[in-house]
Amino acid sequence: MAEKKKVKKKISADTVLIFAALAVIAVYVFSHIYSATNISLETVTAEEATVYETVEAKALVVRSEKQLDGKTDSLTVPCIEDGEKVGVNGNIAMTFSSEASAEDYSRLKVLQSKLYYYDELQSRSSVSVTDVATLEKDTINDINNYIRAVSKGDISDLSDYADEINDKLIRRKMLVGEEVDFSQITDQLRQQINSINADTAKPKSYITSSEAGVFSSYSDGLEAAFDYDSIVNIDADTLNSYIEKAEGNEYDGDTLGKLIDKYKWYMCCVIDADDTAEIVNGQSLEIAFKDRDEIITCTVVCGADPDLGAEQTVLILESNEMNGAIAAMRVEDIEIRTASYTGFKLPTKAIHLDDDGRKCVYALIEGKAKMRHGEIIYTTNDYVIMTDGQERRKIEEAKPEEEKDPNYIPVTDPIKYYDQIITKGKDLHDGKDYSE
């Protein structure tokens, strides 16, 4: 048998070059197809926001207040709310012979209040139906509160939330003209009231206030520790020692609470002298509390004009706002708002320059990029606050000709509420079509 010979085929250098060229072309075409069909487009909604320049500080709260003696042989229960005003000889607490008597009294008052409410509700003739929307919104809030209480295990609050929901559902029926039978509700309330022994469900005596003021059931034992009348003269070292004392204070005294006898109170803090650049004595400032959702207005009493060369200053803030939470404050981490800026909060990467060097943004409208202008009033590394520039335009147009800014260029194509501002887009320019 004849032996087969193996034949080797030789690939020429020209063929290798052709294949290499085709591979390069294929990669080039594929990359362009991929980039054309995979454009990364990102937007943010133009919504109004307010940002603040703030000075952070730790503040000591100083009030004119007196501790109330709670020593008694009977059970003592406050009869007014924290932060509530009381007059001379006004009742601030009740004494009971037993805890059961106090509980019956409290339950009786709640039931009587509910009965009075439903009797009043039944006697009403008609209410405007335009209140239905508000009532439904409040009902949803109550339902959400109930759900949150269940999830947190706050069983004590469930009954109150359920009562609120039931009450609003009844009122809604009345508003839309449905018949509501109150007799079942009121009869049940009267039965519960009659089941309580009225002779024992009452206070044995009352504790009254010797002077007028604001009551608080909270006492930390430091009511007389700081000199209210001379606090405006305090120095930084003394204030720091007071704050240290208050922060380390542990008090478990037997008191009824305290009475704040002057409505004006102070927050005292040590801040860097440089931080007073935007603060003036006599100025009203907003104060935000870091650990609570509350904002109050204070007047700067002193400390905004530190001595030349001083590194720190004691800033004294005064307020007459009062409620139960404020009455219990002693040392608080605060933010002093020295300036505010309101406009559209946009990422810095959304800001561009037009052909005239003016700052602009691009809004995505019907799939196309539309150039918008505005006035940037505040800038950080991460975001800017931009307005539509129309307020500035009105001011400039109202000026006499000789006072107008010659360099001012009015905004004629302003950024608008809820514009979809492009923060990332390939080949971004005015009129760029991203719908294809």
Side-chain angles (χ1 to χ4, degrees), residues 40-290:
S40 178
L41 186 65
E42 296 177 3
T43 64
V44 295
T45 303
E47 295 180 312
E48 191 175 76
T50 300
V51 298
Y52 302 91
E53 288 187 3
T54 63
V55 176
E56 296 184 355
K58 189 179 290 293
L60 177 73
V61 177
V62 178
R63 296 169 290 259
S64 177
E65 53 192 358
K66 298 174 182 177
Q67 196 176 74
L68 299 172
D69 186 10
K71 294 180 180 178
T72 177
D73 295 333
S74 304
L75 178 66
T76 305
V77 179
C79 60
I80 58 175
E81 298 291 332
D82 286 349
E84 188 175 341
K85 295 179 181 179
V86 61
V88 179
N89 297 324
N91 295 332
I92 57 175
M94 303 169 287
T95 64
F96 292 89
S97 56
S98 67
E99 187 172 338
S101 176
E103 289 177 355
D104 284 346
Y105 175 82
S106 176
R107 193 159 66 94
L108 180 62
K109 288 299 179 184
V110 170
L111 292 171
Q112 288 174 339
S113 175
K114 286 184 178 181
L115 180 60
Y116 174 79
Y117 171 78
Y118 284 113
D119 282 341
E120 285 291 304
L121 196 61
Q122 187 176 13
S123 65
R124 293 179 190 172
S125 54
S126 62
V127 186
S128 173
V129 179
T130 56
D131 291 332
V132 170
T134 301
L135 195 57
E136 289 178 342
K137 182 179 178 181
D138 292 342
T139 305
I140 292 172
N141 288 336
D142 287 336
I143 292 172
N144 289 334
N145 288 334
Y146 185 91
I147 294 171
R148 280 191 288 268
V150 171
S151 64
K152 291 180 180 179
D154 295 337
I155 300 175
S156 60
D157 294 331
L158 293 182
S159 178
D160 290 338
Y161 290 137
D163 287 344
E164 288 291 332
I165 295 169
N166 183 60
D167 166 65
K168 289 181 174 63
L169 292 176
I170 291 174
R171 287 166 58 196
R172 189 190 184 284
K173 285 185 177 181
M174 293 181 64
L175 288 173
V176 298
E178 292 184 26
E179 288 290 331
V180 179
D181 182 10
F182 286 94
S183 60
Q184 184 178 357
I185 300 173
T186 55
D187 287 349
Q188 187 178 15
L189 288 172
R190 287 189 176 90
Q191 288 176 6
Q192 290 176 322
I193 289 172
N194 293 333
S195 68
I196 299 173
N197 188 338
D199 293 331
T200 59
K202 62 183 179 181
K204 188 170 68 173
S205 63
Y206 287 91
I207 297 174
T208 60
S209 174
S210 60
E211 53 189 308
V214 175
F215 171 76
S216 173
S217 61
Y218 174 78
S219 171
D220 60 3
L222 298 176
E223 286 75 22
F226 316 113
D227 190 348
Y228 172 87
D229 293 323
S230 62
I231 197 67
V232 294
N233 300 317
I234 195 171
D235 59 70
D237 290 339
T238 303
L239 177 55
N240 284 330
S241 68
Y242 282 175
I243 291 175
E244 185 178 352
K245 177 181 179 179
E247 287 188 314
N249 179 58
E250 294 183 5
Y251 182 74
D252 190 23
D254 184 14
T255 71
L256 182 59
K258 64 187 175 187
L259 188 74
I260 303 168
D261 56 15
K262 291 182 180 176
Y263 297 131
K264 183 171 67 177
W265 56 278
Y266 301 102
M267 280 194 293
C268 316
C269 52
V270 179
I271 64 173
D272 291 340
D274 292 341
D275 288 336
T276 63
E278 302 297 327
I279 304 175
V280 179
N281 290 338
Q283 179 183 11
S284 291
L285 295 173
E286 282 189 348
I287 307 298
F289 298 94
K290 282 191 173 182

Side-chain angles (χ1 to χ4, degrees), residues 17 25 30 41 109 134 228 293 296 302 360 390 397 405 414:
L17 290 174
I25 293 171
F30 176 81
L41 186 65
K109 288 299 179 184
T134 301
Y228 172 87
D293 187 19
I296 65 172
C302 58
C360 65
Q390 300 311 293
E397 290 177 349
D405 183 354

Side-chain angles (χ1 to χ4, degrees), residues 297-321:
T297 300
C298 288
T299 301
V300 181
V301 178
C302 58
D305 51 354
D307 295 334
L308 188 64
E311 294 183 358
Q312 292 185 318
T313 184
V314 175
L315 194 70
I316 307 294
L317 305 169
E318 172 190 302
S319 179
N320 59 6
E321 294 186 32

